[in-house]
């Protein structure tokens, strides 16, 4: 052992204590505003079904229609790969996983819609029915991992109706078995943070009325207006909306067509890859970073229906938009038709399988201090493990193959994916 250096200091301990004391409020504020990702599963998509159409067979019906679309327009791996441009190495595996997913879990997140898509004559009855059917689905094992409703917004013309539908639906859940763990509520067309605050007060009142734990009910905020991105005073309104949710916000969902129309984009150019859409989502992403609020991309309204040629063109478009979103860290989007689901899962599975081996080896090298041709830092290790974990959650990757390449258990991967705040600068515990 070499000679130890003499270590001297010049400052009294009171200096460090004083600095820490002066930053105590900032430390608390960082913990409150930026708790980090919750570590729970984020669905790869959300499906909207009108409240007057939703029934007990909806989820299975979407899966069967998606499988039928594959049978008709891409009956084998080679034909599907040719449409999407999948490599020979991926074609068979991705196709098999897509079919298995459609049979096992065709929808990851379903929202019974009482807003734009709703055309029923008795909203009270449809909201009560939705509550009963959702609880029955969770009870019999036929539910999507996440389910809930999108009510009408907090604007004056429809506010009372939205409040009543929320009340009817939540009361119905309690009367039919309780609030499921996968419950999700979506508040649309939010323009001012005060509308978010109003919805928080509504949920607080419901929790108090039924003796529920404070904060039990969370919700997503749908970004569909220009004012939700840039407020009249020039501030980023979406950041203020997250704050106004008082810890209840779980997601920010981009509304492709309402937002585009709000900016005057003509119908032919309303798409999730329009520059206006990229601008909005970039601001949403920065506002949500570190808060635990997830960002979701929008949708395409080009439906894969009709002739095989048209279906293939629609599939190419949807696949490309989904891959584009994934590369930009928008890990969730909307699907508007059963025919979109095969390409949603194909894009997601290809995304994770293409980078799986590299990510696994980099994470293993980092965890074991073995080095490699890339010098990774704790924040990158978090990104690598999050990538692997998302792949496991959706079915793109299998636990055994991740274990084999990383030399880590799933619990190990989860720990790297959700480190404590200090771990990102001080080093992850191993």
């Amino acid at each position: 052992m070499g000679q130890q250096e003499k270590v001297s200091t010049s400052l009294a301990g009171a200096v460090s204590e004083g600095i820490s004391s002066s930053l105590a409020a900032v430390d608390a504020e960082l913990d409150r505003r930026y708790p980090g990702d919750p570590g729970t599963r984020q669905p790869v998509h959300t499906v909207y079904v009108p409240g007057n159409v939703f029934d007990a067979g909806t989820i299975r019906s979407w899966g069967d229609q998606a499988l039928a679309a594959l049978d008709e327009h891409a009956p084998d791996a080679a034909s599907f790969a040719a449409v999407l441009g999948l490599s020979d190495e991926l074609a068979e595996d991705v196709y098999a996983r897509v079919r298995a997913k459609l049979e096992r879990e065709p929808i990851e997140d379903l929202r019974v819609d009482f807003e734009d898509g709703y055309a029923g004559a008795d909203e009270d009855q449809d909201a009560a029915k939705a509550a009963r059917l959702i609880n029955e689905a969770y009870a019999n094992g036929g539910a999507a991992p996440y389910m809930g409703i999108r009510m009408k917004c907090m604007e004056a013309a429809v506010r009372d109706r939205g409040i009543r539908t929320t009340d009817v639906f939540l009361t119905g859940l309690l009367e039919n078995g309780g609030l499921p763990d996968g419950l999700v509520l979506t508040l649309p067309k939010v323009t001012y943070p005060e509308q978010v605050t109003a919805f928080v007060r509504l949920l607080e009142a419901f929790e108090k009325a039924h003796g529920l734990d404070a904060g039990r009910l969370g919700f997503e905020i749908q970004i569909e207006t220009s004012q939700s991105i840039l407020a009249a005073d020039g501030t980023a309104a979406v950041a203020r909306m997250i704050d106004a949710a008082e810890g209840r916000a779980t997601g920010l969902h981009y509304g492709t067509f309402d937002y585009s129309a709000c900016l005057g984009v003509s119908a032919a150019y309303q798409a999730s890859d329009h520059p206006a859409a990229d601008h909005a989502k970039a601001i949403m992403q920065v506002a949500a970073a570190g808060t635990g609020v997830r960002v979701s991309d929008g949708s395409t309204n080009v439906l894969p229906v009709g002739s095989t040629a048209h279906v293939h063109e629609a599939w190419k478009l949807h696949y490309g938009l989904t891959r584009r979103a994934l590369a930009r860290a928008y890990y969730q989007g909307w699907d508007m038709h059963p025919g979109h689901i095969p390409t949603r899962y194909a894009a997601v599975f290809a995304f994770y399988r293409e980078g799986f081996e590299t990510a696994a080896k980099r994470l293993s090298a980092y965890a074991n201090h073995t080095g490699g041709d890339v010098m990774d830092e704790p924040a990158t290790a978090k990104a690598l493990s999050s990538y692997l974990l998302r792949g496991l959650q959706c079915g793109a990757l299998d636990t055994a193959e991740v274990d084999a390449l990383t030399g880590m258990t799933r619990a190990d991967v989860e720990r790297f994916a959700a480190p404590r705040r200090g771990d990102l600068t001080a080093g992850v515990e191993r």
Side-chain angles (χ1 to χ4, degrees):
M1 185 173 179
Q3 179 180 352
Q4 290 190 341
E5 296 290 339
K6 178 184 177 182
V7 177
S8 303
T9 62
S10 301
L11 301 177
V15 174
S16 178
E17 293 171 4
I19 290 173
S20 293
S21 178
S22 72
L23 290 175
V26 171
D27 293 339
E29 187 77 345
L30 279 170
D31 288 338
R32 182 182 75 83
R33 290 184 181 273
Y34 303 104
D37 190 87
T40 55
R41 176 182 180 181
Q42 180 180 10
V44 303
H45 69 167
T46 301
V47 163
Y48 284 80
V49 178
N52 55 300
V53 173
F54 176 68
D55 61 30
T58 292
I59 293 176
R60 187 62 263 154
S61 173
W62 274 60
D64 291 343
Q65 290 179 69
L67 285 165
L70 280 179
D71 290 340
E72 181 176 358
H73 303 293
D76 53 45
S79 57
F80 197 47
V83 173
L84 305 182
L86 292 172
S87 67
D88 292 341
E89 292 78 13
L90 285 176
E92 291 286 348
D93 186 59
V94 167
Y95 189 75
R97 286 176 186 272
V98 168
R99 293 196 69 98
K101 181 77 168 180
L102 296 175
E103 292 167 355
R104 181 186 74 254
E105 188 181 75
I107 295 175
E108 292 198 358
D109 184 28
L110 185 145
R111 210 70 72 249
V112 183
D113 192 15
F114 291 96
E115 204 234 352
D116 284 348
Y118 182 68
D122 192 334
E123 191 161 333
D124 279 357
Q125 284 295 307
D126 288 335
K129 180 185 72 172
R132 175 177 57 81
L133 291 177
I134 286 174
N135 264 342
E136 288 177 359
Y138 278 108
N140 63 30
Y146 299 94
M147 298 183 75
I149 65 167
R150 176 171 70 168
M151 67 292 296
K152 290 178 174 62
C153 69
M154 281 289 168
E155 293 180 356
V158 294
R159 182 183 302 139
D160 288 345
R161 180 64 263 181
I163 291 172
R164 182 173 176 85
T165 295
T166 304
D167 187 7
V168 169
F169 174 71
L170 293 175
T171 301
L173 287 177
L174 290 177
E175 292 177 347
N176 287 279
L179 302 178
D181 290 338
L183 174 65
V184 186
L185 304 174
T186 303
L187 179 65
K189 292 184 175 62
V190 180
T191 305
Y192 281 83
E194 289 81 0
Q195 294 169 329
V196 174
T197 299
F199 198 64
V200 169
R201 299 289 90 82
L202 170 63
L203 298 182
E204 282 180 342
F206 188 88
E207 289 166 350
K208 290 177 182 177
H210 292 278
L212 301 173
D213 291 340
R216 169 64 179 86
L217 296 167
F219 61 97
E220 301 167 333
I221 301 169
Q222 205 158 356
I223 305 302
E224 301 176 272
T225 68
S226 61
Q227 297 92 339
S228 61
I229 294 297
L230 189 67
D233 62 1
T235 60
V238 65
R240 292 166 55 202
M241 289 175 184
I242 293 173
D243 193 47
E246 300 176 18
R248 293 177 185 263
T250 59
L252 300 175
H253 282 230
Y254 176 68
T256 305
F257 304 104
D258 282 287
Y259 188 86
S260 298
C262 182
L263 268 62
V265 179
S266 61
Y269 297 96
Q270 293 178 356
S272 61
D273 59 351
H274 189 281
D278 285 340
H279 173 259
K281 287 180 287 188
I283 293 177
M284 292 163 58
Q285 190 174 46
V286 173
T291 66
V293 178
R294 273 85 174 260
V295 174
S296 173
D297 196 7
S299 59
T300 175
N301 59 2
V302 179
L303 303 184
V305 297
S307 68
T308 293
H310 179 76
V311 169
H312 285 182
E313 286 303 311
W315 274 352
K316 289 178 186 177
L317 174 65
H318 185 245
Y319 178 86
L321 290 173
T322 303
R323 286 300 305 260
R324 183 180 189 273
L326 289 167
R328 287 159 173 76
Y330 308 133
Y331 298 112
Q332 184 176 356
W334 301 9
D335 288 327
M336 300 180 70
H337 187 274
H340 284 141
I341 304 180
T343 40
R344 170 69 61 182
Y345 290 132
V348 170
F349 294 167
F351 175 75
Y352 289 111
R353 295 211 65 78
E354 284 174 358
F356 158 55
E357 185 172 338
T358 298
K361 289 180 177 178
R362 283 177 65 179
L363 182 61
S364 177
Y366 176 84
N368 293 298
H369 305 281
T370 57
D373 58 2
V374 179
M375 183 178 291
D376 288 320
E377 297 183 352
T380 306
K382 178 181 185 296
L384 291 167
S385 54
S386 295
Y387 173 88
L388 296 175
L389 186 58
R390 288 179 184 276
L392 286 166
Q393 289 169 338
C394 70
L397 306 176
D398 301 322
T399 300
E401 62 182 351
V402 173
D403 288 354
L405 270 186
T406 62
M408 301 163 64
T409 66
R410 178 160 178 166
D412 293 330
V413 174
E414 289 174 350
R415 280 194 293 273
F416 273 94
R420 299 185 304 272
R421 177 183 302 282
D423 288 336
L424 293 181
T425 54
V428 180
E429 286 184 358
R430 296 179 179 83

